[in-house]
Amino acid sequence: MSRSLILVLLWFCFSVSATEQADQYEEAPSPKRSDIEGTTTESSEQPAEVSSNVTEPNAEADSVEAEEAASASQPQAEPALPDQPKPIIPIVAGNTDQANASQATEEPPQEEVWGPLSLLNTELSPNSSATLDWYSGHLPGGFEVATPVIAIHGSEPGPRVCITAAIHGDELNGVEIARRVVKGLSPENLKGTVISVPVVNIDGLWRQDRYMSDRRDLNRAFPGSPNSSTASRVAYSLFNSIILHCDSLVDLHSGSMFRENLTQLRADLTIPEVADVAKQFGAISVLQSIAPSGSLRGAATAAGIPAVVMEVGGPYTVDEKQVETGVKAVQSYLSSVNMLPRSFFWSSPQPVFYASQWLRARDGGILLNKVDLGTRVNKGQLLGTISNPITDDEEQVLAPFNAVVLGRAQNQVVSAGFAIYNLGERRSIEDLEQQGEQIKKQVAAQTVEQLGLSETKEEETNSEQATSDADLAQPNQVEQQTPSTEETSGKSLEQAPATSNETQPNSQAQDETQAQNTEAPAQQELIELIPEERMPQPEDEDG
């Protein structure tokens, strides 16, 4: 009995203490903000009363009631919100004030608007493709047949690249290259626009003829005229209806007159925009080439559309191996300008040929080749033979210098003077780091001369040099120091020292002039690196 009583008393004591602790925990979060503030103020001013409050609960209750009455009589202030966190500003190395100011004033970049394409009275929405009709109006007899134009308008913004082929009706390799390139494109994976005219001279293709029906070369009629010859009218229609919509142009050609070319680009590398385009085609050869007058390449470049010509194989036939190389080169260009998502890799660097020379037959006969396209030959190596079918005499064609075979005539009957081998002097971009600028100046000087501006340029050069050297040399000496462009470009390296000794007499005035212009000898030596006969010849260019 006594044990049970003791257990009951212990349980009662524990329950009472637990109840008191629960009451204390319940009262802890319940006091109002004003009560807490009043309590803290009172505790700071009267520390003695705080200690007494801890030991005297009745006094604490009285003080709480008094504070509640005082707070009820006064208007309650709104509780203050907690301070907002400050924004985190990244620290930029350097001047942080300028960095913060630039971040404050910088506007978010605006996305480029990619809208529809308007071409040949048709509007193409983004992420679409269509085959459009171009009526060149050059068929005889009043017949009108549409020339197909394939337009692929990508899903995202990008450049507009035009591809043209068969300006000459007997060149089929370009037609097949354009077909394969377009077949491998889809609008959803393309950034920008590709416009392809696979057969420009559709009448010539039907007749298997290089020229137009009026026996004119269409690639010598650009930019054309609406009131001139048939070739000029077709050129005008193509140039204004299609070409002017492009940002860059790839014109596909093949060899002419039963000649065949190694897959190569022909571009005027003295124009920076054209040189930038030519670098994007992988490892195919690039031949420095001045655009002939009236060519599509020259007219497009003059209009601000950088253009290159791709020469592939020969006429009348399709060389599938070279076609595959041409397709890969065009796809490499589209990938390099970020129009295609994939990249194309080449095993060798891009060779550049700033000088080339066509070898011509001395006598007529039957040509038999002994070297293939792309072969590297040494000076004196046998390239082919020309046999006279009547006298049985044989002419051996030997390489006049170390070169690469860029083009050749197919085995056929040739006449005296027929162009049979196009040899290029290979120079990589690394080899041209120091010589390239001077070679470009030489080629540019030849361009000016061919355009009929050489006399004006020579007069300006002579007047400037005469003014600067008036106090140092006599007029006849100044005249001797300024040879013409033809004389300068026609000299070879072996002739340079003798010529310079003849044209530069020993005089104190000339020694002072040469001392002031220390770069002149180096420039003169570089300019004379390419003999005149190896400079690009416009009559052999663009197919």
Side-chain angles (χ1 to χ4, degrees):
M1 184 67 182
S2 58
R3 290 183 179 179
S4 301
L5 181 60
I6 293 172
L7 292 173
V8 170
L9 293 174
L10 290 174
W11 175 81
F12 180 78
C13 293
F14 279 112
S15 62
V16 170
S17 61
T19 304
E20 292 177 355
Q21 291 180 0
D23 294 339
Q24 292 178 0
Y25 286 119
E26 290 177 359
E27 292 177 359
S30 60
K32 299 181 180 180
R33 182 180 180 88
S34 59
D35 299 340
I36 297 173
E37 293 176 353
T39 305
T40 53
T41 306
E42 185 178 356
S43 61
S44 61
E45 294 177 354
Q46 299 178 356
E49 294 180 5
V50 171
S51 60
S52 62
N53 291 337
V54 175
T55 57
E56 297 179 1
N58 295 331
E60 180 182 1
D62 296 338
S63 62
V64 171
E65 292 177 359
E67 290 174 0
E68 290 180 354
S71 62
S73 60
Q74 296 180 359
Q76 296 182 357
E78 296 181 357
L81 297 175
D83 295 337
Q84 297 294 330
K86 296 181 179 180
I88 299 176
I89 300 176
I91 298 176
V92 182
N95 193 344
T96 57
D97 296 338
Q98 295 180 357
N100 295 336
S102 63
Q103 289 179 1
T105 58
E106 184 178 0
E107 297 180 357
Q110 296 181 357
E111 295 184 358
E112 184 179 355
V113 178
W114 187 236
L117 169 68
S118 297
L119 182 68
L120 297 174
N121 300 322
T122 305
E123 188 172 275
L124 275 73
S125 60
N127 194 20
S128 64
S129 62
T131 300
L132 310 179
D133 293 335
W134 168 53
Y135 292 92
S136 58
H138 70 281
L139 292 180
F143 296 100
E144 288 190 0
V145 176
T147 301
V149 177
I150 297 96
I152 305 176
H153 197 40
S155 58
E156 298 183 31
R160 292 181 182 176
V161 175
C162 285
I163 303 173
T164 56
I167 284 183
H168 297 130
D170 59 347
E171 300 175 358
L172 305 181
N173 286 318
V175 179
E176 180 63 14
I177 291 175
R179 186 190 70 83
R180 294 189 184 187
V181 169
V182 169
K183 184 179 178 181
L185 299 177
S186 59
E188 56 271 13
N189 296 327
L190 181 66
K191 295 181 180 180
T193 306
V194 172
I195 302 173
S196 174
V197 189
V199 183
V200 174
N201 186 3
I202 192 170
D203 179 35
L205 182 69
W206 283 346
R207 294 184 290 105
Q208 296 185 354
D209 191 352
R210 173 181 176 85
Y211 301 109
M212 302 287 294
S213 57
D214 62 349
R215 305 302 302 165
R216 294 179 183 267
D217 190 342
L218 178 59
N219 206 31
R220 297 297 183 269
F222 288 95
S225 171
N227 301 312
S228 187
S229 64
T230 301
S232 184
R233 296 186 184 206
V234 175
Y236 178 85
S237 176
L238 175 69
F239 196 78
N240 289 272
S241 301
I242 300 173
I243 302 302
L244 291 181
H245 292 270
C246 309
D247 296 326
S248 61
L249 172 66
V250 181
D251 190 18
L252 304 174
H253 283 263
S254 298
S256 62
M257 303 298 294
F258 296 101
R259 299 186 187 94
E260 55 188 9
N261 294 313
L262 179 70
T263 303
Q264 61 189 257
L265 286 182
R266 291 181 178 177
D268 191 347
L269 301 178
T270 62
I271 303 174
E273 295 80 6
V274 176
D276 291 340
V277 172
K279 294 177 182 178
Q280 313 297 329
F281 283 81
I284 66 172
S285 303
V286 179
L287 176 61
Q288 163 60 35
S289 172
I290 302 171
S293 177
S295 65
L296 174 58
R297 174 163 65 101
T301 303
I305 305 169
V308 296
V309 159
M310 181 182 292
E311 289 281 351
V312 184
Y316 300 111
T317 59
V318 176
D319 188 333
E320 191 169 2
K321 183 177 180 180
Q322 292 209 55
V323 165
E324 291 176 355
T325 303
V327 170
K328 184 179 179 182
V330 175
Q331 291 175 340
S332 296
Y333 173 64
L334 298 179
S335 177
S336 298
V337 296
N338 298 321
M339 296 181 67
L340 293 179
R342 58 186 180 275
S343 298
F344 297 86
F345 300 97
W346 300 76
S347 59
S348 59
Q350 185 181 43
V352 179
F353 298 88
Y354 268 93
S356 66
Q357 179 179 348
W358 273 101
L359 302 184
R360 300 181 181 273
R362 291 197 304 267
D363 299 314
I366 299 175
L367 171 67
L368 296 176
N369 289 298
K370 302 300 181 181
V371 292
D372 296 326
L373 292 173
T375 303
R376 301 191 67 169
V377 297
N378 298 321
K379 182 178 180 180
Q381 182 174 342
L382 180 64
L383 303 178
T385 60
I386 300 177
S387 303
N388 189 318
I390 308 299
T391 63
D392 201 25
D393 294 335
E394 184 178 89
E395 172 191 349
Q396 291 187 341
V397 183
L398 306 179
F401 53 90
N402 298 338
V404 176
V405 181
L406 298 180
R408 70 176 187 178
Q410 298 171 345
N411 293 338
Q412 58 182 293
V413 176
V414 298
S415 58
F418 191 83
I420 50 179
Y421 294 104
N422 188 16
L423 303 181
E425 290 187 86
R426 180 170 182 173
R427 303 167 187 263
S428 65
I429 296 178
E430 290 76 12
D431 297 336
L432 294 169
E433 286 181 353
Q434 297 180 351
Q435 303 175 0
E437 292 301 324
Q438 295 302 323
I439 294 174
K440 288 180 181 180
K441 291 181 181 179
Q442 180 184 0
V443 175
Q446 189 193 42
T447 305
V448 172
E449 181 181 354
Q450 292 173 356
L451 294 177
L453 303 176
S454 57
E455 297 180 357
T456 304
K457 183 177 181 180
E458 185 178 352
E459 291 176 358
E460 294 177 355
T461 304
N462 291 339
S463 61
E464 292 177 359
Q465 188 168 1
T467 304
S468 60
D469 298 343
D471 299 334
L472 299 176
Q474 298 297 327
N476 58 349
Q477 295 176 347
V478 174
E479 184 177 359
Q480 292 176 353
Q481 292 177 2
T482 56
S484 64
T485 305
E486 296 179 357
E487 294 174 355
T488 303
S489 59
K491 300 173 186 175
S492 61
L493 284 174
E494 293 78 12
Q495 297 173 346
T499 307
S500 60
N501 292 334
E502 294 176 359
T503 58
Q504 296 181 0
N506 295 328
S507 63
Q508 182 178 0
Q510 289 183 349
D511 292 340
E512 294 178 357
T513 304
Q514 293 178 357
Q516 292 179 358
N517 189 6
T518 57
E519 297 180 356
Q523 292 179 356
Q524 183 179 6
E525 181 180 358
L526 290 174
I527 290 176
E528 295 171 352
L529 284 176
I530 302 178
E532 178 67 23
E533 62 271 12
R534 299 186 196 174
M535 294 294 291
Q537 301 299 320
E539 62 269 17
D540 297 325
E541 303 301 327
D542 291 4

